[in-house]
Amino acid sequence: MKSYVFSGALALVLGACAYEPTPLPIVADQQAAVNSSVLSPVQYQDPLAGYTYRAPTGPRDWRSVNEEQTEGN
């Protein structure tokens, strides 16, 4: 049991020693996001545009529903 605890602790210690900090981002790449002449204008688009409300309907006679959906009508 002690060998499992020791090997687990050893893995944590070795993992902590292998830590390598990430480099800082290059600020010049982020300048384009701030400069308004580089960006294209974004217009608002309503996410509900084209939505049609379809309320549930009660049961209907299947023959009349089939006749309404035929190609001739």
Side-chain angles (χ1 to χ4, degrees), residues 1-48:
M1 178 66 183
K2 290 182 183 180
S3 63
Y4 292 125
V5 174
F6 178 71
S7 63
L10 182 63
L12 289 174
V13 170
L14 290 177
C17 292
Y19 172 72
E20 186 175 320
T22 57
L24 295 174
I26 300 172
V27 179
D29 293 341
Q30 297 175 357
Q31 296 276 335
V34 177
N35 190 352
S36 62
S37 64
V38 176
L39 297 176
S40 62
V42 177
Q43 296 179 353
Y44 175 74
Q45 295 179 350
D46 186 16
L48 299 177

